[in-house]
Amino acid sequence: MYSKPIDSLIKLVDKSEIPSNEKFTFLESDFVTDVLEEELTRYFKVSSVEIERIRVMRYGQMYVDYKYYNTDIQNYTFGTLMLE
């Protein structure tokens, strides 16, 4: 089975870029959350990433709200990304 590196799937987005009129469901899967947290921890090069929620849109795009502790500024960094 071929898989792409997560770097090629991630697009950092602003919350305003998420279509507000499109239907979505929340993905509640411990397995998917755990795998994404591991991959995003490596991607951001931090000690850990916490997934807050995953929205799956009607046409398959996934928007992930995350946070991680930024040791440089001694504060949490929050963001949203889209998995293509």
Side-chain angles (χ1 to χ4, degrees):
M1 181 175 158
Y2 174 76
S3 63
K4 291 183 176 181
I6 191 136
D7 300 18
S8 66
L9 302 173
I10 291 177
K11 176 184 175 193
L12 299 176
V13 296
D14 187 80
K15 287 192 188 273
S16 65
E17 295 178 61
I18 300 172
S20 59
N21 59 347
E22 192 173 318
K23 292 183 180 182
F24 66 87
T25 57
F26 289 111
L27 177 64
E28 296 180 18
S29 166
D30 290 340
F31 175 75
V32 172
T33 300
D34 290 347
V35 169
L36 269 176
E37 286 177 345
E38 263 184 53
E39 291 297 325
L40 292 176
T41 297
R42 280 192 280 274
Y43 177 79
F44 289 117
K45 297 177 177 79
V46 294
S47 58
S48 68
V49 172
E50 184 180 325
I51 302 293
E52 295 188 325
R53 65 182 174 181
I54 302 170
R55 288 175 285 233
V56 180
M57 308 309 268
R58 184 179 348 168
Y59 298 108
Q61 302 99 328
M62 292 174 61
Y63 290 93
V64 180
D65 295 332
Y66 64 88
K67 72 177 181 180
Y68 61 83
Y69 190 74
N70 189 331
T71 55
D72 294 339
I73 59 173
Q74 301 290 311
N75 207 344
Y76 281 97
T77 298
F78 296 86
T80 302
L81 59 86
M82 182 177 84
L83 292 175
E84 300 184 283

